Amino acid sequence: MKRTTLKSIFAAALFAAIFASCSSVPKEIPEDLTAQELIQKGQNEFENGRYKASLCYYQAVTERFADTPDVYLEASYEIGHLYMKQKKYKQAEAVFTEILSIYENAQPGSLPGSYSKLSQLEMDKIRKKK
């Protein structure tokens, strides 16, 4: 009987730990983190399948660094990419549309070209899925 109880407790604890790690999001994101530190944390969470946490870090970048276009575009692209991986095409399309709009309204050469090209490629994928 003791052995069964210990196994049950162990199994319950293991299940709780797995469940908590899958659904955990940062309760508070330190204000002193740089944009690159936040993006790196977002990428780490993404690689570990913790998409909600990843999204929190990327959104923190877009909020805190909205006045820094190259950083804002990088974090926005990562959000769109995250939505694509989750097959949330409507949300991804909205993000990529915003990115492309930013490029349309910017002076040529004032923004890194990579996010325009990558966003357009993702938009093409979305159109093929419709």
Side-chain angles (χ1 to χ4, degrees):
M1 188 174 213
K2 259 188 175 178
R3 201 172 255 200
T4 304
T5 304
L6 286 176
K7 284 182 181 180
S8 297
I9 291 171
F10 178 76
L14 181 61
F15 178 76
I18 291 170
F19 181 74
S21 70
C22 291
S23 63
S24 64
V25 295
K27 292 187 185 348
E28 190 175 315
I29 299 174
E31 290 291 327
D32 63 341
L33 294 178
T34 67
Q36 288 309 312
E37 288 172 325
L38 290 168
I39 288 171
Q40 185 61 53
K41 286 184 176 293
Q43 290 170 340
N44 291 345
E45 295 292 352
F46 179 84
E47 289 170 6
N48 289 310
R50 294 187 292 264
Y51 296 145
K52 287 181 182 180
S54 179
L55 183 61
C56 287
Y57 285 112
Y58 294 141
Q59 286 175 331
V61 175
T62 62
E63 293 167 10
R64 295 179 189 179
F65 298 92
D67 294 336
T68 311
D70 55 329
V71 172
Y72 180 85
L73 288 167
E74 181 178 3
S76 294
Y77 175 78
E78 294 293 348
I79 290 170
H81 180 69
L82 177 92
Y83 286 142
M84 288 295 287
K85 285 293 186 185
Q86 294 178 303
K87 298 182 181 180
K88 295 181 178 179
Y89 301 119
K90 190 172 186 173
Q91 291 96 322
E93 183 175 24
V95 172
F96 296 130
T97 298
E98 179 195 9
I99 291 170
L100 293 171
S101 175
I102 291 170
Y103 277 95
E104 287 174 12
N105 295 309
Q107 289 185 337
S110 65
L111 300 172
S114 58
Y115 299 111
S116 173
K117 179 72 175 168
L118 291 169
S119 295
Q120 188 58 58
L121 290 170
E122 297 291 357
M123 288 292 282
D124 292 343
K125 290 178 188 175
I126 292 169
R127 286 186 191 109
K128 286 180 184 177
K129 296 200 181 288
K130 286 185 174 181

